[in-house]
Amino acid sequence: AAASRYSRWRARPRGTPWQLSPFAQDAVRAVIDRVLATVQGSQWLAPADLATILRAVDIECVVSEQIMPNDAVATAERLGYPLVAKIVSPDVLHKTDVGGVIMGLHTAAQVAQAVDTLRERMQRCGARLDGILLQREVPGGIEALIGVTMDPTFGPLVVCGLGGTL
């Protein structure tokens, strides 16, 4: 049965490959070249760089801004509510494992309290806090995780899966 399904899948028309516009190619290349020129080893893209790449290739992403903790309230007022506050730390791979995500922020006071809480949590676990990512909270939907890395054994790898706490 599996061989038959595979045969039918292989017999389908291939379709038209998606082509990036010259603008999108240049925008993505500029970000990647700049990051590769300064990186030592592997590293996650900064949220702003990732947003630039996603927008260049017409992938919609939530409104967000990486800020220093002292700028959180003013930024929150500009972005609008409800918001999510997330830590930005090179020392933490999974933010939810250290309490690095606080959702449901509807007021400036809640944003200020969330920032204080995130600072305390990072101090407690000994992780460096490079900033706070404030994002508009999007109700419903499914979070997605997409990652790319270069493995020394297997070469380029792509991971796709459910995001968030899953």
Side-chain angles (χ1 to χ4, degrees):
S4 176
R5 279 192 304 272
Y6 180 68
S7 173
R8 285 192 309 272
W9 177 77
R10 293 275 314 231
R12 290 187 338 206
R14 291 182 183 241
T16 305
W18 183 48
Q19 295 290 322
L20 290 178
S21 71
F23 167 79
Q25 290 178 17
D26 290 345
V28 171
R29 176 56 47 206
V31 170
I32 298 302
D33 286 347
R34 180 179 45 76
V35 170
L36 288 176
T38 60
V39 70
Q40 298 293 325
S42 63
Q43 132 180 353
W44 292 94
L45 280 179
D49 289 334
L50 179 59
T52 298
I53 289 173
L54 291 174
R55 279 193 298 272
V57 299
D58 291 330
I59 296 176
E60 194 173 332
C61 56
V62 68
V63 174
S64 63
E65 192 169 329
Q66 181 177 334
I67 48 117
M68 296 310 294
N70 294 340
D71 300 328
V73 171
T75 303
E77 292 295 321
R78 188 169 26 79
L79 291 177
Y81 298 97
L83 292 171
V84 176
K86 300 178 179 182
I87 59 160
V88 177
S89 174
D91 303 329
V92 177
L93 181 58
H94 299 289
K95 295 172 185 65
T96 55
D97 290 349
V98 296
V101 178
I102 300 177
M103 299 174 64
L105 306 174
H106 295 273
T107 67
Q110 288 176 336
V111 169
Q113 179 59 49
V115 168
D116 289 342
T117 300
L118 292 174
R119 277 184 179 143
E120 291 169 10
R121 290 176 180 170
M122 293 307 94
Q123 287 174 345
R124 237 182 294 133
C125 71
R128 188 173 84 215
L129 182 63
D130 284 354
I132 302 289
L133 185 68
L134 283 181
Q135 293 181 317
R136 290 292 304 268
E137 188 170 315
V138 178
I142 298 172
E143 291 187 56
L145 162 75
I146 302 170
V148 180
T149 190
M150 179 64 76
D151 184 85
T153 303
F154 298 106
L157 297 175
V158 176
V159 62
C160 300
L162 296 174
T165 58
L166 301 175

mmCIF file of all heavy atoms in Angstrom, residues 42-87:
data_model
loop_
_atom_site.group_PDB
_atom_site.id
_atom_site.type_symbol
_atom_site.label_atom_id
_atom_site.label_comp_id
_atom_site.label_asym_id
_atom_site.label_seq_id
_atom_site.Cartn_x
_atom_site.Cartn_y
_atom_site.Cartn_z
ATOM 1 N N SER A 42 27.627 28.668 15.603
ATOM 2 C CA SER A 42 26.212 28.755 15.275
ATOM 3 C C SER A 42 25.524 29.773 16.162
ATOM 4 O O SER A 42 25.967 30.046 17.274
ATOM 5 C CB SER A 42 25.552 27.385 15.432
ATOM 6 O OG SER A 42 25.639 26.967 16.772
ATOM 7 N N GLN A 43 24.441 30.313 15.654
ATOM 8 C CA GLN A 43 23.713 31.331 16.407
ATOM 9 C C GLN A 43 22.310 31.447 15.850
ATOM 10 O O GLN A 43 22.068 31.193 14.677
ATOM 11 C CB GLN A 43 24.471 32.656 16.317
ATOM 12 C CG GLN A 43 23.686 33.850 15.981
ATOM 13 C CD GLN A 43 24.525 35.111 15.914
ATOM 14 O OE1 GLN A 43 25.697 35.125 16.241
ATOM 15 N NE2 GLN A 43 23.920 36.160 15.465
ATOM 16 N N TRP A 44 21.369 31.830 16.713
ATOM 17 C CA TRP A 44 20.011 32.115 16.289
ATOM 18 C C TRP A 44 19.985 33.507 15.669
ATOM 19 O O TRP A 44 20.695 34.402 16.125
ATOM 20 C CB TRP A 44 19.061 32.091 17.486
ATOM 21 C CG TRP A 44 18.873 30.739 18.075
ATOM 22 C CD1 TRP A 44 19.563 30.199 19.129
ATOM 23 C CD2 TRP A 44 17.949 29.739 17.660
ATOM 24 N NE1 TRP A 44 19.111 28.932 19.384
ATOM 25 C CE2 TRP A 44 18.127 28.625 18.498
ATOM 26 C CE3 TRP A 44 16.993 29.686 16.664
ATOM 27 C CZ2 TRP A 44 17.368 27.469 18.371
ATOM 28 C CZ3 TRP A 44 16.237 28.531 16.534
ATOM 29 C CH2 TRP A 44 16.434 27.442 17.384
ATOM 30 N N LEU A 45 19.158 33.689 14.672
ATOM 31 C CA LEU A 45 18.977 35.026 14.118
ATOM 32 C C LEU A 45 18.283 35.904 15.146
ATOM 33 O O LEU A 45 17.383 35.449 15.860
ATOM 34 C CB LEU A 45 18.115 34.992 12.859
ATOM 35 C CG LEU A 45 18.785 34.595 11.558
ATOM 36 C CD1 LEU A 45 17.766 34.595 10.429
ATOM 37 C CD2 LEU A 45 19.946 35.492 11.217
ATOM 38 N N ALA A 46 18.675 37.162 15.202
ATOM 39 C CA ALA A 46 17.981 38.119 16.054
ATOM 40 C C ALA A 46 16.553 38.273 15.549
ATOM 41 O O ALA A 46 16.295 38.146 14.344
ATOM 42 C CB ALA A 46 18.702 39.466 16.022
ATOM 43 N N PRO A 47 15.609 38.549 16.450
ATOM 44 C CA PRO A 47 14.210 38.677 16.021
ATOM 45 C C PRO A 47 14.003 39.674 14.879
ATOM 46 O O PRO A 47 13.221 39.419 13.964
ATOM 47 C CB PRO A 47 13.493 39.133 17.294
ATOM 48 C CG PRO A 47 14.319 38.567 18.407
ATOM 49 C CD PRO A 47 15.744 38.647 17.904
ATOM 50 N N ALA A 48 14.715 40.793 14.905
ATOM 51 C CA ALA A 48 14.548 41.788 13.838
ATOM 52 C C ALA A 48 15.055 41.255 12.501
ATOM 53 O O ALA A 48 14.447 41.509 11.455
ATOM 54 C CB ALA A 48 15.273 43.080 14.200
ATOM 55 N N ASP A 49 16.167 40.509 12.512
ATOM 56 C CA ASP A 49 16.686 39.927 11.269
ATOM 57 C C ASP A 49 15.728 38.877 10.721
ATOM 58 O O ASP A 49 15.472 38.818 9.517
ATOM 59 C CB ASP A 49 18.063 39.296 11.502
ATOM 60 C CG ASP A 49 19.145 40.325 11.739
ATOM 61 O OD1 ASP A 49 19.007 41.463 11.264
ATOM 62 O OD2 ASP A 49 20.147 39.981 12.406
ATOM 63 N N LEU A 50 15.192 38.071 11.603
ATOM 64 C CA LEU A 50 14.230 37.059 11.173
ATOM 65 C C LEU A 50 12.983 37.713 10.571
ATOM 66 O O LEU A 50 12.504 37.301 9.510
ATOM 67 C CB LEU A 50 13.834 36.169 12.350
ATOM 68 C CG LEU A 50 12.817 35.087 12.043
ATOM 69 C CD1 LEU A 50 13.310 34.142 10.963
ATOM 70 C CD2 LEU A 50 12.487 34.331 13.313
ATOM 71 N N ALA A 51 12.493 38.757 11.217
ATOM 72 C CA ALA A 51 11.308 39.461 10.702
ATOM 73 C C ALA A 51 11.590 40.073 9.331
ATOM 74 O O ALA A 51 10.732 40.033 8.441
ATOM 75 C CB ALA A 51 10.860 40.536 11.690
ATOM 76 N N THR A 52 12.781 40.604 9.130
ATOM 77 C CA THR A 52 13.153 41.183 7.831
ATOM 78 C C THR A 52 13.120 40.118 6.742
ATOM 79 O O THR A 52 12.579 40.335 5.653
ATOM 80 C CB THR A 52 14.550 41.824 7.898
ATOM 81 O OG1 THR A 52 14.518 42.879 8.856
ATOM 82 C CG2 THR A 52 14.994 42.353 6.548
ATOM 83 N N ILE A 53 13.670 38.950 7.036
ATOM 84 C CA ILE A 53 13.682 37.860 6.056
ATOM 85 C C ILE A 53 12.270 37.385 5.759
ATOM 86 O O ILE A 53 11.885 37.221 4.596
ATOM 87 C CB ILE A 53 14.566 36.701 6.552
ATOM 88 C CG1 ILE A 53 16.041 37.124 6.492
ATOM 89 C CG2 ILE A 53 14.333 35.437 5.724
ATOM 90 C CD1 ILE A 53 16.991 36.133 7.107
ATOM 91 N N LEU A 54 11.466 37.182 6.804
ATOM 92 C CA LEU A 54 10.103 36.697 6.591
ATOM 93 C C LEU A 54 9.281 37.691 5.772
ATOM 94 O O LEU A 54 8.555 37.302 4.849
ATOM 95 C CB LEU A 54 9.424 36.406 7.925
ATOM 96 C CG LEU A 54 9.978 35.216 8.701
ATOM 97 C CD1 LEU A 54 9.314 35.115 10.068
ATOM 98 C CD2 LEU A 54 9.834 33.932 7.916
ATOM 99 N N ARG A 55 9.392 38.975 6.097
ATOM 100 C CA ARG A 55 8.646 39.978 5.325
ATOM 101 C C ARG A 55 9.112 40.035 3.875
ATOM 102 O O ARG A 55 8.308 40.202 2.964
ATOM 103 C CB ARG A 55 8.773 41.346 5.979
ATOM 104 C CG ARG A 55 7.830 41.553 7.141
ATOM 105 C CD ARG A 55 7.749 42.999 7.572
ATOM 106 N NE ARG A 55 9.000 43.552 8.038
ATOM 107 C CZ ARG A 55 9.436 43.486 9.293
ATOM 108 N NH1 ARG A 55 8.720 42.910 10.212
ATOM 109 N NH2 ARG A 55 10.583 44.016 9.631
ATOM 110 N N ALA A 56 10.419 39.887 3.652
ATOM 111 C CA ALA A 56 10.956 39.953 2.287
ATOM 112 C C ALA A 56 10.399 38.838 1.412
ATOM 113 O O ALA A 56 10.218 39.030 0.209
ATOM 114 C CB ALA A 56 12.486 39.887 2.316
ATOM 115 N N VAL A 57 10.113 37.683 2.008
ATOM 116 C CA VAL A 57 9.608 36.556 1.226
ATOM 117 C C VAL A 57 8.091 36.388 1.370
ATOM 118 O O VAL A 57 7.536 35.340 1.090
ATOM 119 C CB VAL A 57 10.346 35.241 1.560
ATOM 120 C CG1 VAL A 57 11.828 35.373 1.253
ATOM 121 C CG2 VAL A 57 10.122 34.833 3.002
ATOM 122 N N ASP A 58 7.431 37.452 1.823
ATOM 123 C CA ASP A 58 5.966 37.496 1.929
ATOM 124 C C ASP A 58 5.379 36.488 2.908
ATOM 125 O O ASP A 58 4.299 35.942 2.675
ATOM 126 C CB ASP A 58 5.306 37.335 0.553
ATOM 127 C CG ASP A 58 5.545 38.526 -0.346
ATOM 128 O OD1 ASP A 58 5.679 39.639 0.184
ATOM 129 O OD2 ASP A 58 5.604 38.339 -1.576
ATOM 130 N N ILE A 59 6.095 36.240 4.002
ATOM 131 C CA ILE A 59 5.540 35.419 5.075
ATOM 132 C C ILE A 59 5.143 36.365 6.195
ATOM 133 O O ILE A 59 5.976 37.081 6.743
ATOM 134 C CB ILE A 59 6.553 34.370 5.583
ATOM 135 C CG1 ILE A 59 6.868 33.386 4.453
ATOM 136 C CG2 ILE A 59 6.000 33.644 6.806
ATOM 137 C CD1 ILE A 59 7.929 32.370 4.795
ATOM 138 N N GLU A 60 3.859 36.352 6.488
ATOM 139 C CA GLU A 60 3.325 37.261 7.502
ATOM 140 C C GLU A 60 3.774 36.802 8.890
ATOM 141 O O GLU A 60 3.782 35.612 9.195
ATOM 142 C CB GLU A 60 1.804 37.252 7.425
ATOM 143 C CG GLU A 60 1.163 38.375 8.175
ATOM 144 C CD GLU A 60 -0.331 38.440 7.929
ATOM 145 O OE1 GLU A 60 -0.781 38.014 6.855
ATOM 146 O OE2 GLU A 60 -1.038 38.912 8.823
ATOM 147 N N CYS A 61 4.168 37.752 9.709
ATOM 148 C CA CYS A 61 4.530 37.425 11.080
ATOM 149 C C CYS A 61 3.942 38.487 12.007
ATOM 150 O O CYS A 61 3.585 39.578 11.580
ATOM 151 C CB CYS A 61 6.042 37.300 11.259
ATOM 152 S SG CYS A 61 6.996 38.718 10.767
ATOM 153 N N VAL A 62 3.848 38.123 13.258
ATOM 154 C CA VAL A 62 3.220 38.985 14.244
ATOM 155 C C VAL A 62 4.063 40.251 14.457
ATOM 156 O O VAL A 62 5.288 40.213 14.357
ATOM 157 C CB VAL A 62 3.011 38.210 15.562
ATOM 158 C CG1 VAL A 62 4.328 37.884 16.236
ATOM 159 C CG2 VAL A 62 2.122 38.952 16.501
ATOM 160 N N VAL A 63 3.388 41.355 14.748
ATOM 161 C CA VAL A 63 4.073 42.614 15.026
ATOM 162 C C VAL A 63 4.864 42.448 16.324
ATOM 163 O O VAL A 63 4.329 42.003 17.344
ATOM 164 C CB VAL A 63 3.066 43.768 15.161
ATOM 165 C CG1 VAL A 63 3.754 45.046 15.602
ATOM 166 C CG2 VAL A 63 2.322 43.974 13.856
ATOM 167 N N SER A 64 6.143 42.769 16.272
ATOM 168 C CA SER A 64 6.985 42.609 17.460
ATOM 169 C C SER A 64 8.134 43.601 17.411
ATOM 170 O O SER A 64 8.465 44.139 16.360
ATOM 171 C CB SER A 64 7.522 41.177 17.552
ATOM 172 O OG SER A 64 8.344 40.880 16.446
ATOM 173 N N GLU A 65 8.723 43.794 18.574
ATOM 174 C CA GLU A 65 9.876 44.684 18.670
ATOM 175 C C GLU A 65 10.760 44.236 19.831
ATOM 176 O O GLU A 65 10.271 44.009 20.931
ATOM 177 C CB GLU A 65 9.401 46.122 18.882
ATOM 178 C CG GLU A 65 10.505 47.133 18.706
ATOM 179 C CD GLU A 65 9.979 48.560 18.655
ATOM 180 O OE1 GLU A 65 8.843 48.776 18.188
ATOM 181 O OE2 GLU A 65 10.722 49.452 19.087
ATOM 182 N N GLN A 66 12.062 44.114 19.552
ATOM 183 C CA GLN A 66 13.014 43.797 20.612
ATOM 184 C C GLN A 66 13.459 45.099 21.249
ATOM 185 O O GLN A 66 13.872 46.026 20.550
ATOM 186 C CB GLN A 66 14.222 43.044 20.064
ATOM 187 C CG GLN A 66 15.215 42.677 21.150
ATOM 188 C CD GLN A 66 16.381 41.871 20.636
ATOM 189 O OE1 GLN A 66 16.278 41.179 19.639
ATOM 190 N NE2 GLN A 66 17.508 41.963 21.333
ATOM 191 N N ILE A 67 13.357 45.156 22.559
ATOM 192 C CA ILE A 67 13.641 46.400 23.268
ATOM 193 C C ILE A 67 14.461 46.107 24.518
ATOM 194 O O ILE A 67 14.580 44.967 24.946
ATOM 195 C CB ILE A 67 12.323 47.111 23.665
ATOM 196 C CG1 ILE A 67 11.343 46.124 24.333
ATOM 197 C CG2 ILE A 67 11.656 47.711 22.469
ATOM 198 C CD1 ILE A 67 11.024 46.456 25.711
ATOM 199 N N MET A 68 14.997 47.166 25.104
ATOM 200 C CA MET A 68 15.618 47.057 26.420
ATOM 201 C C MET A 68 14.498 47.146 27.458
ATOM 202 O O MET A 68 13.480 47.801 27.212
ATOM 203 C CB MET A 68 16.650 48.162 26.626
ATOM 204 C CG MET A 68 17.824 48.071 25.661
ATOM 205 S SD MET A 68 18.584 46.425 25.584
ATOM 206 C CE MET A 68 19.252 46.283 27.237
ATOM 207 N N PRO A 69 14.654 46.494 28.594
ATOM 208 C CA PRO A 69 13.567 46.459 29.586
ATOM 209 C C PRO A 69 13.011 47.829 29.963
ATOM 210 O O PRO A 69 11.801 47.970 30.143
ATOM 211 C CB PRO A 69 14.216 45.769 30.779
ATOM 212 C CG PRO A 69 15.241 44.871 30.164
ATOM 213 C CD PRO A 69 15.787 45.658 28.997
ATOM 214 N N ASN A 70 13.843 48.849 30.048
ATOM 215 C CA ASN A 70 13.367 50.167 30.448
ATOM 216 C C ASN A 70 12.454 50.823 29.414
ATOM 217 O O ASN A 70 11.744 51.778 29.733
ATOM 218 C CB ASN A 70 14.546 51.090 30.747
ATOM 219 C CG ASN A 70 15.335 50.635 31.955
ATOM 220 O OD1 ASN A 70 14.834 49.882 32.791
ATOM 221 N ND2 ASN A 70 16.573 51.066 32.047
ATOM 222 N N ASP A 71 12.466 50.319 28.185
ATOM 223 C CA ASP A 71 11.638 50.885 27.115
ATOM 224 C C ASP A 71 10.318 50.143 26.927
ATOM 225 O O ASP A 71 9.553 50.450 26.005
ATOM 226 C CB ASP A 71 12.410 50.855 25.788
ATOM 227 C CG ASP A 71 13.696 51.653 25.846
ATOM 228 O OD1 ASP A 71 13.728 52.668 26.573
ATOM 229 O OD2 ASP A 71 14.670 51.256 25.175
ATOM 230 N N ALA A 72 10.038 49.180 27.788
ATOM 231 C CA ALA A 72 8.898 48.281 27.566
ATOM 232 C C ALA A 72 7.553 49.006 27.571
ATOM 233 O O ALA A 72 6.720 48.766 26.696
ATOM 234 C CB ALA A 72 8.903 47.163 28.607
ATOM 235 N N VAL A 73 7.316 49.868 28.535
ATOM 236 C CA VAL A 73 5.996 50.495 28.652
ATOM 237 C C VAL A 73 5.721 51.401 27.454
ATOM 238 O O VAL A 73 4.636 51.345 26.852
ATOM 239 C CB VAL A 73 5.869 51.254 29.986
ATOM 240 C CG1 VAL A 73 4.593 52.086 30.015
ATOM 241 C CG2 VAL A 73 5.891 50.275 31.160
ATOM 242 N N ALA A 74 6.684 52.222 27.077
ATOM 243 C CA ALA A 74 6.488 53.117 25.933
ATOM 244 C C ALA A 74 6.271 52.318 24.648
ATOM 245 O O ALA A 74 5.407 52.659 23.825
ATOM 246 C CB ALA A 74 7.684 54.046 25.777
ATOM 247 N N THR A 75 7.026 51.236 24.480
ATOM 248 C CA THR A 75 6.871 50.400 23.295
ATOM 249 C C THR A 75 5.509 49.716 23.294
ATOM 250 O O THR A 75 4.851 49.614 22.255
ATOM 251 C CB THR A 75 8.000 49.356 23.217
ATOM 252 O OG1 THR A 75 9.252 50.043 23.216
ATOM 253 C CG2 THR A 75 7.886 48.507 21.971
ATOM 254 N N ALA A 76 5.075 49.253 24.457
ATOM 255 C CA ALA A 76 3.771 48.585 24.568
ATOM 256 C C ALA A 76 2.648 49.523 24.154
ATOM 257 O O ALA A 76 1.725 49.124 23.439
ATOM 258 C CB ALA A 76 3.559 48.091 25.999
ATOM 259 N N GLU A 77 2.731 50.765 24.588
ATOM 260 C CA GLU A 77 1.690 51.736 24.231
ATOM 261 C C GLU A 77 1.649 51.958 22.716
ATOM 262 O O GLU A 77 0.594 52.131 22.133
ATOM 263 C CB GLU A 77 1.933 53.059 24.956
ATOM 264 C CG GLU A 77 1.726 52.970 26.458
ATOM 265 C CD GLU A 77 0.286 52.676 26.856
ATOM 266 O OE1 GLU A 77 -0.635 53.225 26.216
ATOM 267 O OE2 GLU A 77 0.094 51.874 27.784
ATOM 268 N N ARG A 78 2.809 51.931 22.089
ATOM 269 C CA ARG A 78 2.883 52.128 20.639
ATOM 270 C C ARG A 78 2.392 50.895 19.877
ATOM 271 O O ARG A 78 1.706 51.007 18.868
ATOM 272 C CB ARG A 78 4.320 52.460 20.238
ATOM 273 C CG ARG A 78 4.477 52.872 18.808
ATOM 274 C CD ARG A 78 5.835 53.463 18.467
ATOM 275 N NE ARG A 78 6.957 53.071 19.288
ATOM 276 C CZ ARG A 78 7.626 51.908 19.189
ATOM 277 N NH1 ARG A 78 7.259 51.026 18.296
ATOM 278 N NH2 ARG A 78 8.652 51.649 19.963
ATOM 279 N N LEU A 79 2.720 49.685 20.363
ATOM 280 C CA LEU A 79 2.330 48.452 19.682
ATOM 281 C C LEU A 79 0.851 48.131 19.851
ATOM 282 O O LEU A 79 0.242 47.540 18.975
ATOM 283 C CB LEU A 79 3.161 47.258 20.190
ATOM 284 C CG LEU A 79 4.638 47.237 19.835
ATOM 285 C CD1 LEU A 79 5.318 46.037 20.478
ATOM 286 C CD2 LEU A 79 4.834 47.227 18.332
ATOM 287 N N GLY A 80 0.293 48.494 20.993
ATOM 288 C CA GLY A 80 -1.092 48.149 21.283
ATOM 289 C C GLY A 80 -1.173 46.838 22.055
ATOM 290 O O GLY A 80 -0.196 46.126 22.210
ATOM 291 N N TYR A 81 -2.362 46.550 22.526
ATOM 292 C CA TYR A 81 -2.576 45.391 23.391
ATOM 293 C C TYR A 81 -3.558 44.426 22.732
ATOM 294 O O TYR A 81 -4.299 44.839 21.838
ATOM 295 C CB TYR A 81 -3.125 45.850 24.742
ATOM 296 C CG TYR A 81 -2.160 46.746 25.482
ATOM 297 C CD1 TYR A 81 -2.288 48.129 25.419
ATOM 298 C CD2 TYR A 81 -1.128 46.212 26.222
ATOM 299 C CE1 TYR A 81 -1.405 48.956 26.087
ATOM 300 C CE2 TYR A 81 -0.230 47.033 26.903
ATOM 301 C CZ TYR A 81 -0.381 48.404 26.829
ATOM 302 O OH TYR A 81 0.496 49.218 27.489
ATOM 303 N N PRO A 82 -3.599 43.193 23.168
ATOM 304 C CA PRO A 82 -2.797 42.510 24.175
ATOM 305 C C PRO A 82 -1.411 42.156 23.632
ATOM 306 O O PRO A 82 -1.210 42.042 22.419
ATOM 307 C CB PRO A 82 -3.600 41.249 24.487
ATOM 308 C CG PRO A 82 -4.364 40.965 23.240
ATOM 309 C CD PRO A 82 -4.642 42.309 22.610
ATOM 310 N N LEU A 83 -0.467 41.972 24.556
ATOM 311 C CA LEU A 83 0.910 41.686 24.204
ATOM 312 C C LEU A 83 1.418 40.432 24.904
ATOM 313 O O LEU A 83 0.848 39.979 25.892
ATOM 314 C CB LEU A 83 1.812 42.862 24.599
ATOM 315 C CG LEU A 83 1.614 44.160 23.821
ATOM 316 C CD1 LEU A 83 2.401 45.286 24.461
ATOM 317 C CD2 LEU A 83 2.034 43.978 22.372
ATOM 318 N N VAL A 84 2.530 39.942 24.378
ATOM 319 C CA VAL A 84 3.300 38.862 24.984
ATOM 320 C C VAL A 84 4.705 39.403 25.174
ATOM 321 O O VAL A 84 5.245 40.061 24.286
ATOM 322 C CB VAL A 84 3.342 37.618 24.062
ATOM 323 C CG1 VAL A 84 4.221 36.533 24.656
ATOM 324 C CG2 VAL A 84 1.948 37.110 23.789
ATOM 325 N N ALA A 85 5.308 39.125 26.341
ATOM 326 C CA ALA A 85 6.693 39.512 26.601
ATOM 327 C C ALA A 85 7.539 38.245 26.639
ATOM 328 O O ALA A 85 7.193 37.276 27.326
ATOM 329 C CB ALA A 85 6.799 40.270 27.914
ATOM 330 N N LYS A 86 8.644 38.260 25.892
ATOM 331 C CA LYS A 86 9.540 37.103 25.826
ATOM 332 C C LYS A 86 10.967 37.565 26.079
ATOM 333 O O LYS A 86 11.370 38.640 25.640
ATOM 334 C CB LYS A 86 9.489 36.445 24.447
ATOM 335 C CG LYS A 86 8.126 35.935 24.049
ATOM 336 C CD LYS A 86 8.176 35.336 22.654
ATOM 337 C CE LYS A 86 6.827 34.789 22.229
ATOM 338 N NZ LYS A 86 6.890 34.159 20.895
ATOM 339 N N ILE A 87 11.726 36.716 26.749
ATOM 340 C CA ILE A 87 13.134 37.046 26.975
ATOM 341 C C ILE A 87 13.906 36.910 25.673
ATOM 342 O O ILE A 87 13.549 36.119 24.799
ATOM 343 C CB ILE A 87 13.772 36.138 28.044
ATOM 344 C CG1 ILE A 87 13.684 34.669 27.615
ATOM 345 C CG2 ILE A 87 13.175 36.384 29.408
ATOM 346 C CD1 ILE A 87 14.663 33.764 28.300
#
